[in-house]
């Protein structure tokens, strides 16, 4: 099976859509999702404004809906059924984007990561997302495409997921580094969390790399690999050693997984429950704020 790049350009997708030959085995997915405090519901925005041929991938619906925590990973069977209904087969080249106005990538890497851990490496992200798509003069539509349901077989790779117990034990064992993709203010404990039932702070020993650091402020595209490597180096992350990623609820952590992947490190697990689970489960003394070691 042919490999696909982690990132595809807006120009590449525009040429595919304007070729008159259709997208073939490419399946385009709008994976937009917004933090609770933004009051935006991506599923409500999709019908009136999306890239042509895109279907909506709902991170909240394609999840373990029995969990107390938001958008935890679903079972392999659930994932397979969900993406099959979006016309995705094991031969599809999936291209994912999101519509966050401030960032070219935010939630789409979560879906990129999901496909990969369920055994489908033929998945790419639209570099710059819908903001760059629109900025470059490309059209959007309110036409929702119809696709035939496809058969998709999913196999979960469990060693790329960290549990609360893994993270809690690691505080003392220090078997792997933990990088947190939330903003510096939330990590330091000085800015509020977007969820009213959580207070800010961080896991002891973790380091902060706000996910926006991997993006170019002007183009909203992912920075060059040399810049990404420097970001990791600046916070003391050694990409040759074990590493994991966390954030608020398991979404933006996947931006850091993407950055590590582009740097050649392909084995970074995500703490799926992330800060929401950690805050509600950890001992109070293990919820640190700025100044604590």
């Amino acid at each position: 099976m042919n490999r696909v790049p982690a990132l595809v350009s807006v120009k590449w997708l525009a040429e595919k859509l304007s070729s008159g030959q259709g997208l073939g085995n490419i399946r385009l997915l709008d994976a937009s999702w917004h933090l609770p405090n933004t009051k935006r519901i991506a599923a409500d925005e999709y019908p009136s404004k999306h890239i042509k041929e895109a279907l909506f991938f709902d991170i909240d619906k394609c999840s373990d809906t029995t969990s107390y925590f938001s958008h935890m990973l679903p079972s392999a069977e659930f994932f397979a059924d969900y993406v099959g209904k979006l016309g995705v087969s094991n031969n599809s080249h999936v291209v994912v984007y999101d519509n966050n106005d401030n960032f070219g990538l935010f939630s789409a890497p979560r879906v990129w990561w999901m496909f990969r851990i369920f055994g489908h490496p033929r998945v790419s992200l639209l570099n710059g997302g819908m903001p760059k798509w629109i900025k470059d003069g490309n059209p959007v539509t309110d036409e929702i495409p119809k696709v035939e349901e496809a058969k998709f077989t999913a196999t979960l790779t469990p060693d790329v997921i960290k549990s609360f117990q893994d993270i809690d034990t690691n505080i003392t064992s220090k078997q792997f580094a933990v990088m947190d993709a939330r903003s510096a203010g939330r990590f330091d404990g000085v800015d509020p969390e977007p969820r009213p039932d959580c207070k800010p702070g961080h896991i002891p020993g973790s380091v902060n790399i706000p996910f926006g650091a991997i993006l170019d402020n002007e183009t909203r595209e992912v920075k060059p690999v040399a810049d990404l490597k420097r970001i990791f180096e600046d916070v003391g992350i050694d990409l040759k050693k074990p590493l994991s990623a966390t954030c608020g609820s398991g979404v933006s952590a996947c931006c850091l997984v993407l950055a590590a992947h582009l740097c050649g490190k392909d084995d970074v697990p995500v703490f799926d429950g992330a800060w929401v689970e950690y805050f509600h489960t950890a001992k109070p003394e293990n919820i640190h704020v700025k100044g604590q070691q």
Side-chain angles (χ1 to χ4, degrees):
M1 188 177 291
N2 294 335
R3 294 173 62 88
V4 301
L7 299 170
V8 295
S9 69
V10 161
K11 182 175 183 290
W12 176 89
L13 180 60
E15 288 175 350
K16 292 287 184 183
L17 286 170
S18 63
S19 68
Q21 299 177 1
L23 290 181
N25 72 332
I26 297 170
R27 285 291 176 266
L28 185 60
L29 300 178
D30 181 327
S32 303
W33 179 84
H34 303 286
L35 288 167
N37 62 347
T38 66
K39 308 301 183 184
R40 292 181 63 181
I41 306 297
D44 294 342
E45 297 174 349
Y46 160 79
S48 62
K49 187 178 181 182
H50 53 268
I51 298 174
K52 183 181 178 182
E53 300 299 333
L55 286 173
F56 187 69
F57 186 108
D58 194 321
I59 288 174
D60 288 321
K61 287 186 177 179
C62 188
S63 67
D64 178 3
T65 56
T66 67
S67 174
Y68 172 80
F69 305 110
S70 300
H71 39 254
M72 297 285 281
L73 279 173
S75 67
E77 294 76 16
F78 188 102
F79 182 83
D81 181 68
Y82 184 87
V83 302
K85 289 176 179 175
L86 295 176
V88 177
S89 75
N90 293 96
N91 294 320
S92 299
H93 175 191
V94 180
V95 177
V96 194
Y97 73 89
D98 61 80
N99 70 358
N100 191 288
D101 298 325
N102 297 316
F103 307 100
L105 291 174
F106 171 57
S107 56
R110 169 74 182 191
V111 176
W112 170 83
W113 175 74
M114 290 174 73
F115 271 103
R116 289 175 59 81
I117 68 166
F118 280 117
H120 190 76
R122 289 178 55 77
V123 56
S124 305
L125 289 155
L126 182 63
N127 202 5
M130 185 183 277
K132 181 166 175 56
W133 176 265
I134 293 172
K135 183 179 179 181
D136 287 1
N138 295 296
V140 293
T141 184
D142 60 0
E143 295 181 6
I144 298 176
K146 294 181 179 179
V147 298
E148 290 187 12
E149 186 171 337
K151 178 174 175 53
F152 186 92
T153 300
T155 303
L156 178 63
T157 308
D159 58 356
V160 292
I161 305 166
K162 291 295 187 189
S163 66
F164 169 79
Q165 188 59 52
D166 294 329
I167 297 295
D168 190 53
T169 301
N170 188 65
I171 293 172
T172 52
S173 67
K174 303 184 188 304
Q175 294 297 303
F176 54 87
V178 179
M179 52 183 178
D180 190 321
R182 292 174 300 151
S183 67
R186 291 167 63 190
F187 181 86
D188 290 339
V190 296
D191 288 342
E193 287 291 310
R195 300 167 182 84
D197 61 342
C198 278
K199 293 182 179 179
H202 60 265
I203 299 164
S206 60
V207 298
N208 186 213
I209 306 178
F211 77 91
I214 77 166
L215 304 171
D216 184 289
N217 289 334
E218 294 297 322
T219 66
R220 293 174 175 168
E221 293 177 305
V222 178
K223 291 178 178 178
V225 169
D227 292 349
L228 298 178
K229 288 182 176 179
R230 195 173 304 115
I231 289 169
F232 290 120
E233 291 169 1
D234 287 348
V235 295
I237 292 291
D238 185 344
L239 292 175
K240 295 178 181 179
K241 294 182 178 180
L243 177 63
S244 66
T246 185
C247 57
S249 63
V251 175
S252 63
C254 299
C255 295
L256 302 187
V257 174
L258 168 68
H261 169 82
L262 293 171
C263 293
K265 186 171 181 60
D266 218 16
D267 60 351
V268 179
V270 169
F271 174 23
D272 198 29
W275 183 250
V276 174
E277 181 178 7
Y278 187 85
F279 176 80
H280 285 287
T281 313
K283 297 176 181 177
E285 61 267 29
N286 283 339
I287 296 174
H288 281 197
V289 295
K290 188 175 183 179
Q292 284 181 277
Q293 299 298 320

